[in-house]
Amino acid sequence: MLTPAALPTPLTPVADPLFAAAGVELLLKRDDLAHPTVPGNKWRKLAPNLRPALLAGHRGLLTYGGAYSTHVRAVAAAARGLGLASVGVIRGEELAAAPRNWSLRAAEAAGMVLEFVPRSVYRELVVRGGEPREGYLVLPEGGSNALAVRGAAVVAGELAGQIPGLGERDLVCCPVGTGGTLAGIAAGLPPGARALGVAVLRGEGYLEGEVTRLHRAAYGREFGNWRIHHGHHGGGYGRVPAELEAFAAGFGRRHGVPVERRYVAKALKAVHDLAAARELAAGTRVTVVVTGLPDPLTDLSRS
């Protein structure tokens, strides 16, 4: 059985000297604590898709991802909890004969069947939004679709109940991989509040187009209260330069929050550097949405 998420997730104030010197208040929205097996933004995006899948009589879930995809693992765990089959189409046919990494092992342990395809084929499948398969609900790479956007919008609704006067001085920040979480947060914010996405991959222009597409799909309109910062992707998806690793480890030690490297660390580093450069106005209240957990191989004594 799939247990419900622990919502609303906690909101934690962070006392950090650099932010204080800049006159900026820092809060963490701990979505990493939402669910033990479908954590963070994966629960937000998956949950709205699961009920329609059951009502439609689907016997399984099919999705797409890379070798370390959190989304793939989350789909596998959710399917197992609901008694559904699951299939993960994985980028890179060379991985089929290779020893499974910890992420793919976890997906298989949850009952997911893995299908490895050449990278060129994978790109075509992702561009098409996936390939239909009888009896399966097809979820796109990263899980970002119209229902997922509406699920992510609940984050903003929770913040409105947790932050007094959420409005013009507020900036809600999240990492951006496929755009669904940012699209939902921006759509759910009250007037005056703004959303900042931090790109975790090279995608200037493309990611903006994806967020706009998702807004149209979910709400039939566009929103003007968001932007994407592209200066902290670290060289591309999955890249964790030494400077980012040092920052994440230091932040974790100082504040007692385990920091996931590929997404969350980049968002935290971005707002840290923007505050240090005084690019965030004094009086700004920044809430960073902690969208996921560190990899299990991360040495949490250092993070």
Side-chain angles (χ1 to χ4, degrees):
M1 180 177 179
L2 185 63
T3 59
L7 302 178
T9 53
L11 185 70
T12 304
V14 175
D16 189 285
L18 182 142
F19 284 89
V24 174
E25 185 178 349
L26 177 63
L27 305 169
L28 300 181
K29 176 66 167 163
R30 296 294 306 276
D31 263 23
D32 55 319
L33 304 177
H35 196 274
T37 58
V38 189
N41 67 338
K42 303 311 174 189
W43 176 272
R44 304 285 189 180
K45 295 197 287 185
L46 270 177
N49 282 282
L50 297 178
R51 181 174 174 80
L54 293 173
L55 291 175
H58 290 294
R59 65 182 181 87
L61 307 175
L62 183 151
T63 196
Y64 301 81
Y68 289 92
S69 170
T70 304
H71 169 69
V72 166
R73 298 196 308 276
V75 168
R80 179 176 63 177
L82 294 170
L84 298 173
S86 63
V87 174
V89 179
I90 307 300
R91 180 177 62 245
E93 64 180 337
E94 73 280 1
L95 298 173
R100 300 287 193 259
N101 63 38
W102 67 267
S103 183
L104 295 177
R105 286 200 306 271
E108 286 187 322
M112 176 173 273
V113 175
L114 302 181
E115 298 179 358
F116 299 90
V117 300
R119 294 168 190 274
S120 58
V121 173
Y122 181 88
R123 284 193 296 271
E124 292 175 6
L125 289 169
V126 169
V127 168
R128 295 203 303 266
E131 193 169 72
R133 186 170 302 190
E134 186 176 357
Y136 283 78
L137 173 67
V138 177
L139 296 165
E141 182 183 49
S144 292
N145 59 15
L147 288 174
V149 171
R150 289 186 172 271
V154 176
V155 174
E158 290 180 11
L159 288 174
Q162 293 173 315
I163 299 177
L166 183 69
E168 291 187 359
R169 78 181 187 97
D170 285 288
L171 184 68
V172 180
C173 176
C174 69
V176 179
T178 55
T181 300
L182 174 61
I185 289 172
L189 287 174
R194 296 157 292 137
L196 173 68
V198 175
V200 303
L201 49 84
R202 296 178 182 273
E204 190 164 359
Y206 168 77
L207 289 175
E208 281 82 358
E210 285 297 287
V211 174
T212 298
R213 179 186 65 79
L214 288 166
H215 275 152
R216 289 172 179 158
Y219 297 99
R221 54 165 289 204
E222 297 179 17
F223 294 78
N225 62 342
W226 60 276
R227 68 181 180 91
I228 299 178
H229 172 80
H230 290 274
H232 281 76
H233 53 64
Y237 179 72
R239 302 286 181 86
V240 183
E243 181 184 6
L244 180 62
E245 173 62 35
F247 168 82
F251 189 96
R253 282 196 303 270
R254 291 193 303 276
H255 304 298
V257 177
V259 179
E260 187 275 329
R261 295 331 197 228
R262 290 188 295 273
Y263 289 85
V264 178
K266 294 179 180 183
L268 285 170
K269 184 71 162 57
V271 296
H272 173 277
D273 291 354
L274 291 171
R278 301 300 190 267
E279 293 185 33
L280 299 177
T284 299
R285 182 166 50 190
V286 178
T287 300
V288 176
V289 181
V290 181
T291 53
L293 297 163
D295 293 350
L297 298 183
T298 299
D299 180 0
L300 297 184
S301 68
R302 296 188 298 107
S303 61

